[in-house]
Amino acid sequence: MNILLLSQCLTSSCNLLSELLHRKNHVITITDNSCLQHISTELIDLVLLYYPRFGEKELETSLSIREKCQAPIHIINKYCDNVNVSFLTQKNITINLDPIAYLMQFLPLQKSKSEESVIHFQLDPPKRIVIVNNREIELSHREFQVLHFLYNFKGEIVVREDLINSIWGGICSDANVYITIQKLREKIEDNPQKPKYIITKRGGGYLLSI
């Protein structure tokens, strides 16, 4: 699938979104809609507009792209007001107010052969549970968002800033992340004081080891 990803600025969370999409698709990432004149829009299958904030400039850009491109357009933003949502919907532009939920739908988890035979660690987004050693554990909405994000980068260090930007929209303190991680450990770790799944890395990062 050919995806056009546009953001007014390449934030760390937008870069993570681009990296996730690149795993299964061909992604063209731009930061200025003037670059559209160099892109064959008829070859685009999906347009993703990532806006950390939404104002008149973002509205004009969205409508400009709609005029030039026939592909489905999805705006990823949780601050779009009801008036703009209604107006853009009439223009066949979809508004996704929950970026994380959108990504979960767009990037379904893939089961490996080992997961199909013996379940050691598996997420179930529709039920919002994690299965650890065949034990089903129910998580809160925020806990599941954080764990799912870490799962997408399992075996890699995820810095605290990326969690804040992607899960909390850039608006929270380090304490929010710390508390959520502690609650997750209390639920999934055999010994929360000596975690073996969610590992804290020096410099303010976390690694999901499964």
Side-chain angles (χ1 to χ4, degrees):
M1 177 181 290
N2 294 321
I3 298 177
L4 174 63
L5 172 62
L6 182 145
S7 178
Q8 301 296 354
C9 59
L10 288 179
T11 62
S12 56
S13 53
C14 181
N15 286 331
L16 287 171
L17 170 60
S18 179
E19 183 176 339
L20 283 171
L21 296 174
H22 265 101
R23 295 182 178 185
K24 296 182 180 179
N25 309 277
H26 175 65
V27 182
I28 303 172
T29 304
I30 61 176
T31 58
D32 189 340
N33 63 329
S34 63
C35 298
L36 286 172
Q37 59 184 324
H38 305 297
I39 298 174
S40 299
T41 55
E42 66 272 9
L43 300 179
I44 299 298
D45 300 306
L46 176 65
V47 178
L48 297 181
L49 307 179
Y50 182 90
Y51 297 137
R53 295 292 183 269
F54 195 92
E56 292 184 4
K57 181 179 179 181
E58 288 73 24
L59 178 61
E60 292 177 2
T61 299
S62 304
L63 296 177
S64 174
I65 294 176
R66 175 77 292 168
E67 293 178 358
K68 301 174 183 177
C69 186
Q70 299 300 314
I73 298 177
H74 288 205
I75 293 177
I76 305 176
N77 174 274
K78 59 182 178 181
Y79 300 107
C80 194
D81 59 55
N82 292 333
V83 175
N84 282 326
V85 169
S86 178
F87 178 72
L88 290 167
T89 300
Q90 295 176 13
K91 299 294 183 179
N92 293 321
I93 298 176
T94 303
I95 311 298
N96 300 276
L97 298 177
D98 189 337
I100 300 301
Y102 175 74
L103 284 179
M104 288 181 182
Q105 179 180 5
F106 190 79
L107 300 171
L109 297 174
Q110 299 296 320
K111 296 181 180 179
S112 66
K113 293 182 179 179
S114 60
E115 287 177 323
E116 292 175 353
S117 56
V118 179
I119 299 177
H120 296 294
F121 196 104
Q122 178 178 303
L123 299 184
D124 188 338
K127 295 182 180 180
R128 208 169 64 202
I129 64 173
V130 58
I131 303 174
V132 181
N133 295 328
N134 291 331
R135 179 170 63 99
E136 291 191 2
I137 303 169
E138 185 175 348
L139 303 176
S140 70
H141 178 67
R142 186 70 75 195
E143 291 165 356
F144 191 87
Q145 284 183 316
V146 171
L147 186 60
H148 193 282
F149 194 85
L150 293 174
Y151 186 91
N152 282 328
F153 294 92
K154 54 183 177 291
E156 303 176 23
I157 297 176
V158 175
V159 298
R160 189 181 296 115
E161 179 187 22
D162 289 336
L163 285 169
I164 291 175
N165 288 331
S166 299
I167 307 299
W168 282 271
I171 306 175
C172 85
S173 65
D174 290 349
N176 293 93
V177 180
Y178 176 79
I179 291 173
T180 304
I181 291 293
Q182 288 302 104
K183 289 182 178 179
L184 277 171
R185 285 172 172 164
E186 291 173 1
K187 290 185 177 183
I188 71 175
E189 301 282 2
D190 294 331
N191 183 354
Q193 303 305 317
K194 297 181 179 180
K196 65 178 182 179
Y197 294 117
I198 303 178
I199 311 300
T200 299
K201 308 301 289 187
R202 183 175 298 180
Y206 299 98
L207 181 147
L208 183 64
S209 177
I210 57 175

